[in-house]
Amino acid sequence: RWLFNQAVCTLYAFCGVLFGLCSLISLTVLSTVCCLKVCYPAYGRCWVALSDLHLQPSLHAGVLLLCVWAYALMFATAPLAEWGSYGPEPYGTACCIRWKASSREATLYILALFVFCYLLPCLLILVSYSLILWTVRVSRRAVRQH
């Protein structure tokens, strides 16, 4: 069983959700940026043009990381604002999101979490790497013809 009080359970679940979402969203952003760099090389040149405005590549990466953390924090803090909830897992040994929705709001949170924090990132990763593979294949054919 869970050995600590509800506050520690909530903190444990919050950290698990936050870091898990940060991981998946970071991989999504990474795959999307790789796709843009490989498949649309002009994307890299637009940041060179913006460097006149003192927007360095490290700042670009920092902005992306800030967006990743903000996105994950938005979904991780939702149960703290009573849109969904944290509690013990069914086996009672750890804490996570309460998947058995007890209200309409909790059901909507779980649905939003599924769509925006699982389905959409997975689709973006799949599309990004598919486009990269397609671009590499087309480039290889073009090189063979020359």
Side-chain angles (χ1 to χ4, degrees), residues 61-75:
V63 168
L64 289 175
L65 281 173
L66 188 64
C67 290
V68 165
W69 278 91
Y71 191 82
L73 202 56
M74 180 177 65
F75 283 97

Side-chain angles (χ1 to χ4, degrees), residues 120-140:
L120 185 63
C122 289
L123 285 174
L124 278 171
I125 290 169
L126 183 69
V127 166
S128 295
Y129 285 117
S130 296
L131 282 171
I132 289 171
L133 288 174
W134 182 75
T135 301
V136 168
R137 184 171 291 148
V138 168
S139 296
R140 187 182 316 155

Side-chain angles (χ1 to χ4, degrees), residues 6 9 84-89 96-102 106 109-110:
Q6 181 60 35
C9 178
S85 62
Y86 292 128
E89 289 181 338
C96 67
I97 296 167
R98 287 198 182 146
W99 297 109
K100 289 187 179 182
S102 58
Y109 171 70
I110 292 168

